Amino acid sequence: MYEIELTRARQQIAELLDDVIRGEDVTITENGQPLVKMLHAATTRPHPQFGSAKGLITIPDDFDEPLEDFKEYME
């Protein structure tokens, strides 16, 4: 990953695209502030779908019961 100033990025856009295609992340800045982040499309993760983890997590019935190891602190 590297940063490049906007004025320089405009002059070197072809090289920047080649770097991104090879897997490099490029952040384009203006006045030292991030403006654009270029990532290879294969490196982006899809957004999780609502309900996709249903049934993968179970909570036992005694989840909120006091732990035996802490019994002396509860008195």
Side-chain angles (χ1 to χ4, degrees):
M1 179 177 161
Y2 65 90
E3 294 182 359
I4 185 169
E5 187 65 29
L6 179 61
T7 53
R8 241 180 100 207
R10 286 182 173 156
Q11 298 167 355
Q12 301 176 358
I13 191 68
E15 292 87 356
L16 294 176
L17 290 173
D18 288 340
D19 289 347
V20 171
I21 290 169
R22 283 193 299 273
E24 188 79 38
D25 294 349
V26 178
T27 302
I28 299 174
T29 61
E30 186 173 40
N31 299 322
Q33 298 297 316
L35 186 63
V36 175
K37 188 169 187 176
M38 297 170 58
L39 307 171
H40 191 278
T43 61
T44 59
R45 296 185 297 173
H47 293 287
Q49 190 164 5
F50 182 75
S52 63
K54 185 176 183 177
L56 296 178
I57 299 171
T58 57
I59 299 175
D61 294 333
D62 65 346
F63 175 76
D64 56 352
E65 296 295 320
L67 299 172
E68 281 294 318
D69 295 345
F70 291 94
K71 197 174 222 176
E72 65 185 82
Y73 300 107
M74 302 290 288
E75 298 173 357

